[in-house]
Amino acid sequence: MPGSRSEARAPAGGRAATGLAVVGAGPAGLAAAVTAADHGLDVTVVDAAAAPGGQYFRSPPEELAAVRPGAAPRGQRGFDDLLTRLTAHRATGRVRYLSGHHVWTAARTGDDWALHTVTGQAGEGGPMVLTRRILLATGAYERQLPFPGWTIPGVVGAAGAQAMLKSGLVLPGRRVVVAGSGPLLQAVAVSLVQAGARVPALVEAAGYGGYARAPRVLAANPAKLTEGLRHGAALARAGVRVMSHSAVTAVHGADRVEAVTVSRVDRDWRPVPGSGRTLVCDALAVGHGLTPQLELAVEIGCDTTVRADGSPALRLDERLRTSVGGVWAAGEPGGIGGVGLALVEGELAAHAVAAEVRGGPLRETAGRVRSLLRARRAQRAFAELMGAVHRPGPGWRDWADDDTEVCRCEEVTAGRIRTAVTELGASDARTVKLFTRAGMGWCQGRTCGFAVHELARSDSDGARAPTPDRRMPACPVLLSALAGEDTTADPEEVAGASETPGAAEPGGNGGNRLP
Amino acid sequence: MIRIRVRTTAGSGGSAPGAGRPGGSAGSAGSAGAAGAAGPADSGAGFEFSFDGLPVRALPGQSIAAALWAAGVLSWRTTRLNGRPRGAFCGIGSCYDCLASVNGAPNNRACLVPARPGDTVTTQEGNGRAWLQE
């Protein structure tokens, strides 16, 4: 922040009793911010991206969109409406908007919360946001399972391929196999085909028949059913072969994807011996659903619970309150449910915050809140069904041979993790991490966390919840930014210090280890 | 239905420019940028930056990772222990697999950093701070 460092470091935010900080400007955060501002609250939005929209409404930067426009996602009109309302509230000062800022921790100061932010690639200190209440709308990232060859260039996250397509208008290859589990894969395959890729197969480890287990939930969510059918029709038109109860169990190629092996899997996701067949492709887009982004919530002390999909999510009440006073959450942090649910919960949470500020339920929005609650119940039921259908079966662990890297950052193999479990007695992800460094690297276990938990637990543990570690800071922070937080150093001096090379890596001892 | 056209990577039969070799320098093979299938916008808008000494074209606003994909380059980092090639994986800045050195500074997430005219991007080997260990 050249030239404005001292100003930028000054506390910002609604310190008044009517203050609300919304962390994240995806669908949930935006819906929450404009609704809270409609109620007269003083809202500060902090978002890591350059432009609002989160991952779902991720769009190319303006310069690029002008050169080559992309297809608008579904729901674009509703999003445009939210942006219009946001702009109006920013014009009156009701909403303050900090783009390109990441909240790395939140601390109590009396009745208020102090949100500490960093900005820029390196993690330079940004302004502190003082606020009475926090609404967490931190979204999700993709859940991954390891298998031989998944680190070869050309293997990309399914959501990652879509993100690169949305923001950069590029593809990882010409012939892209889409694999993993969950309805996102259908959307990704359709996007890739529309962008000109060949998608020879969509490989789904579960079976879509699982949804038929809950006809009433389906009946209450006709839009989800329609979307599934629409995607199915689009895939059929494009000649994409949908292979359910199947998984990519190996990727072939030295420094680049040349082919994949697709195997049939049983209901526990165990590969059926002899069923493997080779599919030629130059890229693989793979993912096993999404997992909530909880670093900040866990750091603040919010309770988590395990959802039907097997991943941890925040424990929330009907008013979207977390277990920590003054902290609400909306959208994916409460369990993966998609854009529709995020919009509903964002608005609902803002009404709940407003009701608390005013000291009781608000008559003028009572009808709206009732209908939002109905929509939330229906969509949460669908989310749980979706999670149960696509929850990785225990047999996926047979995909990873002992040489398969599980932790991509620290290059820790499944074999080393198994040794830690069977010979050293580790029975949870944290102990495995201490023995092997799995999950200790740059990404702080975001990519391998679920897999390490699954490899560490024994089947007798049943559905024992993976409890996320507290890992402060929630993102990389320059040492100079850390030093700047607790001192009254001359801003010029702090600015100078930030130019010293050597960023603090997440987890402190994780990144800069010297061999 | 709106169809958008995008450039794709070299794909089958293409060489792998920039694919890291264990313990070696990436970009030793081929010419980055030559492998990308030409897209409609190649003619007008856009600019160049260099990747491991070779010119790569980028569109305004594109991330470094997106421009490299468009040029057929899928890897621009070698891992610290085994020297294996890596590139963009999560695409949203959460996995840190796509770290690259940009204008001499290591540990830039290429999927987040916009390419700028004249940038010097190099394959990040290991932690990118070999100078600290000399």
Side-chain angles (χ1 to χ4, degrees):
Chain A
M1 301 278 101
S4 64
R5 176 159 290 271
S6 56
E7 187 190 328
R9 293 192 66 84
R15 191 168 196 171
T18 53
L20 171 70
V22 177
V23 183
L30 282 180
V34 298
T35 306
D38 288 347
H39 277 293
L41 272 63
D42 292 302
V43 180
T44 304
V45 180
V46 187
D47 189 58
Q55 300 305 338
Y56 185 82
F57 291 112
R58 177 187 263 262
S59 54
E62 275 175 35
E63 316 91 284
L64 185 51
V67 178
R68 216 174 314 151
R74 287 180 71 77
Q76 183 70 36
R77 196 174 296 172
F79 173 61
D80 289 342
D81 175 55
L82 286 176
L83 283 185
T84 306
R85 291 165 66 193
L86 178 73
T87 306
H89 281 304
R90 286 177 72 179
T92 65
R94 196 44 90 198
V95 171
R96 267 156 296 198
Y97 192 93
L98 275 177
S99 63
H101 285 74
H102 203 127
V103 177
W104 63 268
T105 194
R108 272 272 186 214
T109 58
D111 289 339
D112 291 325
W113 289 95
L115 303 186
H116 298 268
T117 67
V118 290
T119 186
Q121 263 286 306
E124 297 158 45
M128 184 180 17
V129 176
L130 282 169
T131 182
R132 188 63 54 89
R133 296 168 194 81
I134 301 173
L135 198 158
L136 298 168
T138 47
Y141 47 82
E142 198 160 32
R143 187 166 68 176
Q144 294 294 346
L145 298 176
F147 49 92
W150 78 304
T151 53
I152 296 173
V155 180
V156 299
Q162 197 175 37
M164 293 284 285
L165 183 54
K166 283 182 185 177
S167 65
L169 307 181
V170 288
L171 295 167
R174 293 179 188 281
R175 198 176 153 84
V176 188
V177 170
V178 176
S181 196
L184 178 69
L185 298 183
Q186 295 185 321
V188 170
V190 170
S191 305
L192 295 176
V193 167
Q194 285 174 358
R198 252 321 307 269
V199 177
L202 188 164
V203 184
E204 162 64 58
Y208 299 108
Y211 287 94
R213 271 182 279 167
R216 288 174 63 181
V217 174
L218 286 185
N221 290 275
K224 296 284 188 189
L225 204 54
T226 313
E227 193 178 17
L229 294 173
R230 194 168 45 79
H231 280 149
L235 293 172
R237 273 198 309 276
V240 176
R241 180 159 176 222
V242 177
M243 306 167 78
S244 58
H245 301 290
S246 300
V248 168
T249 48
V251 183
H252 310 285
D255 288 341
R256 197 161 181 131
V257 175
E258 288 163 14
V260 297
T261 296
V262 177
S263 302
R264 298 255 319 150
V265 295
D266 66 15
R267 49 178 303 173
D268 285 334
W269 293 27
R270 210 162 265 112
V272 176
S275 67
R277 65 173 74 178
T278 305
L279 258 180
V280 173
C281 58
D282 58 8
L284 171 67
V286 64
H288 292 87
L290 305 178
T291 192
Q293 176 141 331
L294 300 178
E295 292 87 358
L296 185 60
V298 169
E299 208 176 296
I300 290 173
C302 300
D303 282 350
T304 60
T305 179
V306 72
R307 287 280 174 189
D309 63 4
S311 280
L314 295 182
R315 192 187 291 280
L316 303 174
D317 67 11
E318 279 239 310
R319 281 178 272 178
L320 283 307
R321 290 183 299 192
T322 69
S323 62
V324 175
V327 183
W328 285 256
E332 310 291 40
I336 301 306
V339 61
L341 183 56
L343 290 166
V344 165
E345 289 198 347
E347 183 180 346
L348 200 51
H351 289 308
V353 173
E356 192 187 278
V357 170
R358 304 251 199 99
L362 307 171
R363 201 174 300 165
E364 66 269 27
T365 51
R368 177 73 181 162
V369 166
R370 274 196 300 277
S371 83
L372 286 169
L373 281 171
R374 270 196 305 276
R376 177 176 186 247
R377 272 194 288 273
Q379 293 194 40
R380 271 283 164 221
F382 184 84
E384 286 295 284
L385 171 61
M386 176 180 81
V389 168
H390 298 283
R391 192 220 185 284
W396 79 260
R397 291 173 292 189
D398 292 0
W399 308 351
D401 61 25
D402 278 352
D403 293 331
T404 303
E405 264 176 27
V406 176
C407 170
R408 298 171 69 99
C409 300
E410 295 292 318
E411 300 166 74
V412 181
T413 61
R416 285 180 56 206
I417 292 171
R418 287 178 179 128
T419 302
V421 172
T422 55
E423 289 174 28
L424 304 175
S427 62
D428 59 46
R430 184 176 163 73
T431 314
V432 169
K433 179 181 77 174
L434 295 175
F435 282 133
T436 66
R437 299 189 65 82
M440 208 181 253
W442 278 300
C443 90
Q444 286 288 282
R446 286 186 185 92
T447 313
C448 70
F450 180 82
V452 173
H453 169 79
E454 291 258 304
L455 289 168
R457 75 185 178 91
S458 67
D459 286 330
S460 60
D461 290 342
R464 183 162 63 92
T467 45
D469 285 348
R470 283 195 186 199
R471 294 181 176 222
M472 196 181 92
C475 61
V477 179
L478 274 183
L479 287 172
S480 58
L482 282 177
E485 293 299 334
D486 296 316
T487 67
T488 52
D490 177 357
E492 292 304 313
E493 202 178 306
V494 174
S498 73
E499 279 155 28
T500 310
E505 305 294 349
N509 61 350
N512 278 343
R513 183 171 53 122
L514 301 179
Chain B
M1 186 182 300
I2 304 167
R3 286 183 70 90
I4 60 171
R5 297 187 55 196
V6 298
R7 289 191 289 175
T8 61
T9 61
S12 52
S15 64
R21 304 284 187 276
S25 158
S28 52
S31 146
D42 279 349
S43 47
F47 55 85
E48 278 188 358
F49 67 94
S50 87
F51 169 69
D52 286 347
L54 298 166
V56 172
R57 287 200 68 75
L59 293 169
Q62 253 180 345
S63 67
I64 288 172
L68 288 172
W69 273 22
V73 179
L74 290 179
S75 65
W76 47 87
R77 175 169 85 86
T78 57
T79 61
R80 288 172 296 150
L81 303 178
N82 301 320
R84 300 300 302 153
R86 297 286 177 83
F89 183 68
C90 80
I92 63 170
S94 82
C95 79
Y96 291 76
D97 238 1
C98 67
L99 298 176
S101 288
V102 181
N103 301 323
N107 297 332
N108 286 277
R109 283 171 280 174
C111 73
L112 297 183
V113 181
R116 286 170 309 181
D119 271 347
T120 300
V121 178
T122 49
T123 290
Q124 174 169 334
E125 294 182 20
N127 59 23
R129 298 187 195 280
W131 53 273
L132 277 176
Q133 294 158 40
E134 279 165 7

